[in-house]
Structures are given as structure tokens and as C-alpha cells.
Amino acid sequence: MGLRAGAVVMLVACASAIVSAQTPELKFIADTLVVQADGTYEADPDLATMTFRIFSQEKELKKAYEAATQSMQRISALATNNGLKKEDVSTGVLTVAPVYEGDRKKRARSYYVQGELVLRVHDFSHIGPILDGSVEDGIADFRSLTYSLSDEEAAKKQAVAEAMRRAIGRASVALEQKGQKLGGLRYMSLDVQHLLGVAQLQTLQMATETVEVSGGGGGGFFSKKAALPPPPPPPQPQKITVRATVQCAFQIQ
């Protein structure tokens, strides 16, 4: 919670003098002690998010849509075979875009269907098998792998609690040196920084080559899928750190 503008004016108005030399963490203003402290919480990630791009292009819309749908179903089945629950698989929506050659008034040359599939993996030992199996059909690209915490809010609370303990401890020690006691909390501001060490990304894209063909029907171009190299091993997760900063104003008794 923040400090309202009116409260700021009152606090400044009542500040008659600075009692002693101040540090950025401790300030004595009239009968108020202002303290700033940081708190951190570090943990190993317990959630991996894998994102895949599904795509298919065919002359007939039905074939393109069926191919993309089957690819999405195969990856979903692969996830299920590796212990993922239904709620951990998000298939998204397949979108269709016609591909024209020259004048848009002419009939579409082909149809391009694409979509996205997201897997939430709790057992990291399944990441490798899912990666290996996902590239076999050739119409799915592995886009990213992100490590994170399944309960980020709990991690933030731990960091805030640590920051408050440090703030109260510093304030109590400072007042003990003057024979005074810590009073009630008059004001507090809080800033929780973004999670550190959350994401590691790897992208595995389908290699394509353009081939020119000629014959009785005239020349043309088409894209040919090239063989994919085996996927690299998944990156190792790093520890995740959440940092919170509090600034408190305590009454001096």
C-alpha cells in the first residue's frame, strides 16, 4: 500500500529536526523512525512450460486443417503418455489463412493452418521424451521452454515477510541504543521485483528448402521439408529469486 499525498504533507510538516546522521536504511524524523529493508526468497523451479507451434499448408483446406489437428492430437497424446493431466495441456485455436498468388480475386493457391499448444510439466524428467517425440511428424515447431514456480504468490509472500522482519529488527536495534521502544506502524510502502532466473529459451524450427520444378504444366516452386537434427538436451533449470523492498515509518515510544 502506498502513502497518500495528504499523509506525506503531514509527515513533512511534523518533522522538526533530524536527530542524528542518517543512513539510507534508517531515518529519524520527529517522533518517527523510517526504515528500509530488502528480503529475498530463493527456490528451485517446480514448473516447466513448453510451447509448440503447429502448422500445415495444403492446396485443400480440409487436408491442411486435418493435418494440423492430427499433429496437435499427437503431441497431446504424447503429453498424456508422459503423465500430464488434461488441465496441463492447452491446445488453443487453429487459425486458417488462404495463400494467394498474384491477384486476390483469384482462387486461393493453398491454405495455411497454424495454432499453438502449451504444456505445463511438473516432472522435469518428461521434458526430454516430449521434445524427442514432438518433432517426428515434421509439422510442429518447439518454440520455448520456461522454468518457473507453480505458486509465485507464495514466493512473493516469503520475500515480503523476510523484508519486514529485517525492517523491524533494524528499527528495534536502532531505538534500543537510545533507550527508546518501537511503536506502531504509521506507514509502509512495498515493492516486489520481478522473478529472477525464471526463463530459459530454446527454439527448434523446421528446416525448409525451395525447389524449382518444370514440366508440361509449367514451372513452379514448392517448399520441401528437410530432415531435422535431433533436438538438443533441455536446459537445466536455475534457481528462482524473488526480491521485495519495504519502507516503513514506525512511531517512537
Side-chain angles (χ1 to χ4, degrees):
M1 57 182 170
L3 180 62
R4 297 183 179 178
V8 175
V9 174
M10 293 177 60
L11 183 61
V12 174
C14 71
S16 58
I18 298 177
V19 176
S20 61
Q22 300 176 359
T23 67
E25 294 81 14
L26 293 171
K27 293 182 180 180
F28 292 89
I29 303 176
D31 61 344
T32 301
L33 173 60
V34 180
V35 184
Q36 179 173 310
D38 295 327
T40 59
Y41 177 75
E42 187 176 79
D44 291 317
D46 58 1
L47 176 65
T49 302
M50 304 178 68
T51 304
F52 296 86
R53 182 175 70 94
I54 309 298
F55 60 92
S56 177
Q57 184 172 352
E58 300 287 348
K59 291 183 178 180
E60 296 181 14
L61 173 59
K62 182 179 180 181
K63 290 183 178 180
Y65 197 86
E66 287 178 350
T69 301
Q70 290 173 4
S71 180
M72 186 171 287
Q73 290 173 348
R74 279 193 289 270
I75 296 180
S76 297
L78 183 64
T80 301
N81 293 337
N82 280 275
L84 272 69
K85 300 179 181 178
K86 288 184 177 180
E87 56 267 27
D88 293 326
V89 181
S90 301
T91 56
V93 178
L94 292 174
T95 60
V96 179
V99 180
Y100 296 96
E101 183 178 9
D103 191 355
R104 280 182 170 268
K105 293 181 179 180
K106 295 181 180 180
R107 186 177 179 179
R109 177 187 177 186
S110 61
Y111 295 90
Y112 186 82
V113 180
Q114 66 176 344
E116 188 176 84
L117 187 144
V118 179
L119 306 180
R120 291 166 53 89
V121 185
H122 299 277
D123 186 348
F124 295 168
S125 66
H126 294 309
I127 295 176
I130 292 175
L131 279 179
D132 293 339
S134 65
V135 299
E136 292 180 354
D137 60 13
I139 56 174
D141 279 349
F142 170 63
R143 307 301 294 177
S144 67
L145 170 62
T146 303
Y147 293 108
S148 60
L149 297 175
S150 57
D151 192 350
E152 294 181 356
E153 190 60 31
K156 293 177 181 179
K157 290 179 180 179
Q158 292 279 1
V160 172
E162 176 65 18
M164 281 300 299
R165 284 193 293 268
R166 290 182 177 180
I168 294 173
R170 289 178 181 176
S172 299
V173 170
L175 292 178
E176 286 176 2
Q177 306 303 315
K178 299 176 177 294
Q180 296 173 305
K181 293 183 179 181
L182 193 65
L185 180 65
R186 290 182 168 178
Y187 150 75
M188 184 187 76
S189 67
L190 171 64
D191 177 38
V192 180
Q193 296 183 9
H194 189 70
L195 293 172
L196 304 177
V198 176
Q200 293 191 26
L201 304 178
Q202 281 195 353
T203 300
L204 195 63
Q205 295 183 340
M206 172 61 64
T208 60
E209 57 179 337
T210 301
V211 181
E212 182 178 2
V213 296
S214 61
F221 295 87
F222 67 91
S223 293
K224 177 183 177 182
K225 295 183 178 67
L228 273 176
Q236 295 300 312
Q238 298 178 351
K239 285 188 177 293
I240 295 175
T241 303
V242 185
R243 181 173 291 110
T245 301
V246 296
Q247 188 175 55
C248 305
F250 295 101
Q251 182 181 2
I252 299 175
Q253 292 183 349

